[in-house]
Amino acid sequence: MSILIKNATIVTMNENRDVFGGDLLIENDRINRIGKLDRYTADMVIDAGNQLLLPGFIQSHVHLCQVLFRGMADDLELLDWLQQRIWPLESSHDEESLYYSSVLGCAELLRGGTTSIIDMATVNHTESVFTAVKQAGIRYLGGKCLMDHGEDVPHNMLDTTDKALQESLELYQRWNNYDNGRIRYALCPRFAVSCSDTLLREVASLSRQYQIPVHTHASENRGEIELVEKERGMRNIIYLDSLGLCHDRLILAHCIHLSQDEMQILVDSKSNIVHCPGSNLKLGSGIAPIPPLLNLGARVSLGADGAPCNNNLSMFMEMRLAALIQKPFHGPRSMPAQAVVEMATRGGARAMGLENEIGSLEEG
């Protein structure tokens, strides 16, 4: 199957960030040619009419399991939002409801130009998420949510440590590298508040042994940070680093309230930070220090998070918010358009470990 897209304004996001008018030829799911292709034809020809042609967006933090909860958890800060709304709602999922939540989420994401996601499922029925992703055709990195600790958690949302790890490994064996690598598995401990020290140490060990990415949350909310300091004696990032979890396979959502030492750990370890401005604003969590992180050389990408903490899964909205919310604090030039689009494309590709495969429009 070949597709020729003609008369487009091509935003390549290549090394030179070239933008030009031209055509793009796809053959056998690979970009074969870019340029003026007047002499070429294809099975399908699309006239772009000088519209923009961009790489598919890559959302580095979403929750397909929460799509049916849109509008059901408003006006709450993070810990109340989880305990009073999200955990009870997630605990009520069965296999069918979770499947349809995931299908609906994939449809919304694809319709909005997102072609790849890093997801965190819920504790139960994770097979339903993978079944939906298999059918949707979206590129996926994610896995079962790991929780074995915490108060005010529905009983069926708390696994034993052994059960959480065993189910995760079984899913890894079934789904990792499915469909020529379109679907890959990640270990997904929810956050330090809902994971025992033993569980997190085992996740670090498995990630190191099998080179599995780790997808989690950290430093989103001041109350969360206080709980971690009280229970573990350290701030979030310093604690995760002490466990051996800060590395280039770590995908860390939010990272709003960071000390200077924590910022440097994330930069030095090449951990992947996911900025979720819509979610951070809705939950009143704060504004992540993205310009200072970028200036230090941090790896930053974007994600909409879950539908009930955002109300949509639009990368265009996340890019707009990411560009605007920093300007009152860091100046009008602090988040230029190119930097924001890079977070939505190349940054996400790097977080997925696929920077040589996706995130830009280039031949090959």
Side-chain angles (χ1 to χ4, degrees):
M1 176 68 178
S2 58
I3 302 172
L4 178 60
I5 303 173
K6 297 185 65 66
N7 303 317
T9 300
I10 302 174
V11 182
T12 65
M13 297 308 297
N14 63 12
E15 287 293 335
N16 297 324
R17 308 300 189 265
D18 292 325
V19 179
F20 57 86
D23 314 320
L24 183 145
L25 177 65
I26 302 166
E27 292 183 334
N28 299 319
D29 295 329
R30 290 277 175 176
I31 298 174
N32 185 277
R33 294 280 189 277
I34 301 178
K36 292 293 185 182
L37 307 178
D38 295 336
R39 293 181 293 175
Y40 286 80
T41 188
D43 299 325
M44 178 185 295
V45 178
I46 300 170
D47 188 344
N50 296 317
Q51 295 183 84
L52 294 178
L53 178 60
L54 297 103
F57 295 135
I58 302 160
Q59 295 216 31
S60 303
H61 181 64
V62 300
H63 294 271
L64 293 178
C65 66
Q66 296 177 6
V67 173
L68 296 181
F69 311 152
R70 191 189 317 263
M72 298 174 69
D74 291 350
D75 305 321
L76 294 167
E77 62 88 26
L78 176 67
L79 297 180
D80 291 339
W81 180 82
L82 287 169
Q83 292 167 350
Q84 297 176 24
R85 296 287 191 274
I86 298 306
W87 287 343
L89 286 165
E90 284 190 20
S91 74
S92 70
H93 265 310
D94 59 21
E95 292 179 0
E96 185 178 28
S97 65
L98 184 55
Y99 168 78
Y100 284 112
S101 179
S102 302
V103 168
L104 181 61
C106 288
E108 181 179 353
L109 288 157
L110 289 165
R111 185 175 175 82
T114 293
T115 56
S116 303
I117 58 172
I118 303 176
D119 178 56
M120 180 181 289
T122 187
V123 173
N124 302 302
H125 313 304
T126 311
E127 194 80 25
S128 293
V129 177
F130 282 102
T131 300
V133 167
K134 170 187 171 182
Q135 295 170 350
I138 201 166
R139 188 182 296 276
Y140 181 92
L141 173 64
K144 168 186 166 68
C145 178
L146 304 177
M147 295 175 63
D148 71 340
H149 175 76
E151 299 178 355
D152 299 318
V153 182
H155 68 90
N156 67 336
M157 291 285 287
L158 277 181
D159 282 335
T160 65
T161 305
D162 289 344
K163 181 175 182 286
L165 293 168
Q166 183 60 37
E167 286 189 6
S168 202
L169 282 173
E170 289 172 359
L171 288 161
Y172 167 77
Q173 290 164 358
R174 281 200 297 276
W175 288 103
N176 191 53
N177 285 324
Y178 182 85
D179 193 13
N180 296 315
R182 177 174 65 84
I183 297 174
R184 293 163 53 234
Y185 197 81
L187 296 163
C188 296
R190 189 157 213 142
F191 62 161
V193 172
S194 62
C195 295
S196 67
D197 187 81
T198 301
L199 176 60
L200 291 172
R201 289 182 185 277
E202 287 298 319
V203 166
S205 176
L206 289 170
S207 175
R208 185 167 55 251
Q209 181 179 355
Y210 296 108
Q211 297 295 293
I212 308 174
V214 177
H215 179 203
T216 188
H217 308 80
S219 303
E220 180 179 0
N221 171 278
R222 294 188 189 279
E224 163 222 346
I225 293 169
E226 290 172 5
L227 276 175
V228 174
E229 284 190 289
K230 180 181 177 180
E231 292 190 356
R232 313 295 160 93
M234 289 174 269
R235 290 177 64 88
N236 264 298
I237 307 305
I238 296 171
Y239 173 58
L240 294 177
D241 188 48
S242 76
L243 301 177
L245 278 167
C246 289
H247 45 60
D248 62 0
R249 297 182 306 281
L250 179 65
I251 301 125
L252 203 54
H254 304 302
C255 296
I256 299 170
H257 306 289
L258 302 174
S259 69
Q260 196 63 41
D261 287 344
E262 289 178 301
M263 292 171 68
Q264 198 61 54
I265 287 170
L266 293 174
V267 172
D268 292 344
S269 64
K270 299 182 180 179
S271 298
N272 298 282
I273 300 161
V274 189
H275 184 32
C276 306
S279 171
N280 299 160
L281 291 173
K282 182 173 178 181
L283 296 180
S285 298
I287 297 175
I290 299 303
L293 283 165
L294 290 174
N295 289 339
L296 287 171
R299 298 177 167 204
V300 183
S301 54
L302 287 173
D305 204 349
C309 62
N310 191 314
N311 285 10
N312 69 72
L313 302 177
S314 168
M315 182 60 95
F316 287 102
M317 177 171 283
E318 297 310 305
M319 288 192 294
R320 175 176 170 78
L321 289 173
L324 294 180
I325 62 175
Q326 304 292 341
K327 295 182 187 296
F329 306 100
H330 300 285
R333 298 181 180 177
S334 59
M335 289 297 294
Q338 186 179 97
V340 175
V341 175
E342 179 161 345
M343 290 192 292
T345 54
R346 295 175 68 98
R350 191 166 49 234
M352 293 190 87
L354 295 172
E355 58 266 45
N356 294 323
E357 291 291 318
I358 60 176
S360 61
L361 299 178
E362 302 181 65
E363 293 181 359

